[in-house]
């Protein structure tokens, strides 16, 4: 199942690019990981991804959440990036209407209970209520604080977040197209549990060296490694835009 487009992304009109990045009509959920990386594997410059992003990356990154039902984030990344809720412009609104989606995709924030303050931008600076995904052992006062700040709280697992159960609950609520935007710990956990269906990777034409984080991390390496195949490949001003599917 290969559809390799060795063409500049800017040569594709919006309709063709949108079709390429549309989530498949699966009966269950579909989780796509969206990341920009340096050519030597780093995902940050001075602690954030902004220094790596290119116009081509921003174009396809927007498609990831424009066409999603929900945007999944680790709470640590949401706080570090000061991540606000989505603010759709006219293009996004029209695009979501064409696909029968709600006006705004909510954020779903994964936390064990201590990494997400109730006044985080991802909870308070939103147009639609965020979803806080946590476990039953999360402090009751913290759960109340999230709810008081306007968030919905979704419990999945007892002592740690059960990601498979969380995705099932999101799908049961109609949030089937899932755009995961990090961070590395969350992506590593999703990969370890076989929950990633697609990786959308923008490779910027720069090297960063140092100790920059990478797309996925975890205490234990995957054995065997999770295998993916190329679904599409675009080039735009030396940025590679690759879609890998499981």
């Amino acid at each position: 199942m290969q559809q390799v487009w060795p063409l500049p992304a800017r040569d594709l009109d919006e309709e063709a690019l949108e079709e390429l990045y549309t989530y498949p009509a699966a009966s269950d959920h579909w989780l796509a990981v969206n990341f920009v990386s340096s050519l030597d594997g780093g995902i940050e410059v001075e602690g954030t991804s902004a220094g790596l992003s290119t116009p081509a990356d921003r174009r396809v990154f927007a498609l990831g959440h424009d066409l999603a039902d929900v945007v999944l984030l680790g709470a640590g990344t949401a706080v570090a990036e000061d991540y606000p809720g989505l603010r759709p412009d006219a293009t996004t609104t029209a695009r979501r209407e064409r696909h029968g989606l709600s006006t705004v995709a909510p954020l779903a924030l994964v936390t064990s209970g201590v990494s997400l303050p109730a006044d985080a931008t991802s909870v308070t600076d939103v147009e639609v209520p965020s979803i806080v995904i946590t476990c039953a052992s999360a402090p009751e006062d913290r759960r109340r604080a999230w709810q008081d700040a306007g968030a919905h709280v979704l419990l999945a697992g007892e002592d740690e977040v059960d990601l498979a159960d969380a995705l099932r609950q999101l799908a049961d609520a109609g949030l089937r197209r899932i755009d995961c935007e990090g961070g590395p710990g969350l992506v590593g956990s999703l990969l370890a549990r076989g929950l990633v269906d697609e990786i959308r990777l923008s490779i910027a034409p720069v090297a960063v060296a140092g100790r920059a984080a990478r797309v996925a991390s975890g205490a234990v390496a995957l054995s065997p490694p999770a295998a993916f195949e190329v679904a599409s490949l675009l080039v735009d001003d030396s940025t590679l835009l690759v879609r890998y599917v499981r």
Side-chain angles (χ1 to χ4, degrees):
M1 188 181 80
Q2 284 195 322
Q3 182 185 28
V4 179
W5 298 36
L7 299 170
R10 61 183 176 277
D11 287 354
L12 294 180
D13 61 26
E14 283 301 317
E15 184 176 339
L17 195 62
E18 184 176 309
E19 180 179 354
L20 193 62
Y21 279 84
T22 296
Y23 293 76
S27 58
D28 202 351
H29 51 72
W30 184 271
L31 189 146
V33 168
N34 261 290
F35 259 98
V36 60
S37 166
S38 68
L39 59 86
D40 58 339
I43 61 162
E44 61 184 5
V45 175
E46 297 181 350
T48 71
S49 60
L52 291 172
S53 187
T54 65
D57 167 61
R58 288 190 287 275
R59 188 179 177 196
V60 300
F61 192 75
L63 284 169
H65 49 244
D66 283 1
L67 298 171
D69 293 313
V70 63
V71 176
L72 184 69
L73 289 162
T77 292
V79 172
E81 300 267 357
D82 200 22
Y83 224 101
L86 299 176
R87 297 288 193 276
D89 57 17
T91 299
T92 294
T93 299
R95 179 178 286 150
R96 292 182 67 82
E97 285 180 355
R98 286 197 303 274
H99 288 265
L101 300 169
S102 63
T103 305
V104 184
L107 303 180
L109 311 164
V110 180
T111 178
S112 61
V114 298
S115 55
L116 183 68
D119 62 352
T121 303
S122 299
V123 175
T124 60
D125 187 12
V126 296
E127 288 196 2
V128 296
S130 293
I131 303 164
V132 178
I133 299 173
T134 192
C135 51
S137 62
E140 183 66 33
D141 59 343
R142 184 60 64 93
R143 284 192 256 164
R144 283 197 302 271
W146 292 324
Q147 292 172 325
D148 290 345
H152 299 307
V153 175
L154 184 157
L155 295 181
E158 294 297 322
D159 297 323
E160 62 180 25
V161 176
D162 182 334
L163 291 170
D165 181 44
L167 298 190
R168 282 192 294 269
Q169 291 191 56
L170 290 176
D172 289 345
L175 306 176
R176 185 188 59 78
R177 305 168 186 86
I178 304 167
D179 172 37
C180 178
E181 299 184 357
L186 175 59
V187 175
S189 296
L190 290 165
L191 284 168
R193 290 159 177 77
L195 298 173
V196 176
D197 300 292
E198 179 179 350
I199 296 177
R200 300 173 175 184
L201 184 63
S202 299
I203 303 174
V206 296
V208 298
R211 298 184 180 275
R214 61 185 190 182
V215 169
S217 64
V220 179
L222 302 185
S223 181
F228 290 76
E229 64 179 15
V230 174
S232 67
L233 170 63
L234 301 172
V235 183
D236 193 308
D237 285 339
S238 295
T239 298
L240 301 182
L241 306 168
V242 194
R243 290 175 49 249
Y244 294 96
V245 295
R246 187 171 60 173

